Amino acid sequence: MQQINIYGKIWMQMLEHPDSDVDILVSFVPGAKMGLSYFGMICDLEDLLHRPVDLVVEGDLLPFAVESANKDKILVYEQQVEGYLRENDI
């Protein structure tokens, strides 16, 4: 897993609609193969968050949703590359 973002109006949805889903956008390390573990990840996230999860792989978003997702997304995990420091890590 290279990056995990939540997107959409997550906080407002959680407050107003406790049963609404959580939209999660993921990107994988180039060459990674997910197979059935993708579905296991969805189940694990739903157990952890106590709500349905819409897990979307970067690049698989429908065209009409890309701009909105990019505007709203919040980075929650990013794989660190060995020997590389981001500005915020210093």
Side-chain angles (χ1 to χ4, degrees):
M1 184 88 43
Q2 191 169 27
Q3 224 179 48
I4 301 172
N5 292 277
I6 56 173
Y7 68 99
K9 306 295 182 205
I10 181 69
W11 306 119
M12 189 172 291
Q13 288 174 353
M14 290 178 79
L15 293 173
E16 293 178 5
H17 307 285
D19 295 332
S20 65
D21 68 347
V22 176
D23 298 316
I24 300 178
L25 182 65
V26 296
S27 62
F28 296 103
V29 176
K33 300 196 185 322
M34 282 300 296
L36 293 176
S37 60
Y38 173 83
F39 299 102
M41 189 182 330
I42 292 171
C43 292
D44 290 344
L45 287 166
E46 288 178 342
D47 288 344
L48 179 69
L49 300 171
H50 304 287
R51 61 183 60 237
V53 167
D54 184 12
L55 186 65
V56 180
V57 178
E58 184 95 30
D60 288 349
L61 271 174
L62 296 175
F64 73 88
V66 172
E67 184 179 341
S68 176
N70 285 335
K71 182 181 71 160
D72 295 337
K73 71 183 180 182
I74 300 168
L75 181 67
V76 294
Y77 170 81
E78 183 173 41
Q79 179 185 29
Q80 296 297 308
V81 177
E82 192 172 317
Y84 172 77
L85 290 176
R86 294 181 310 175
E87 192 174 309
N88 295 340
D89 294 335
I90 299 175

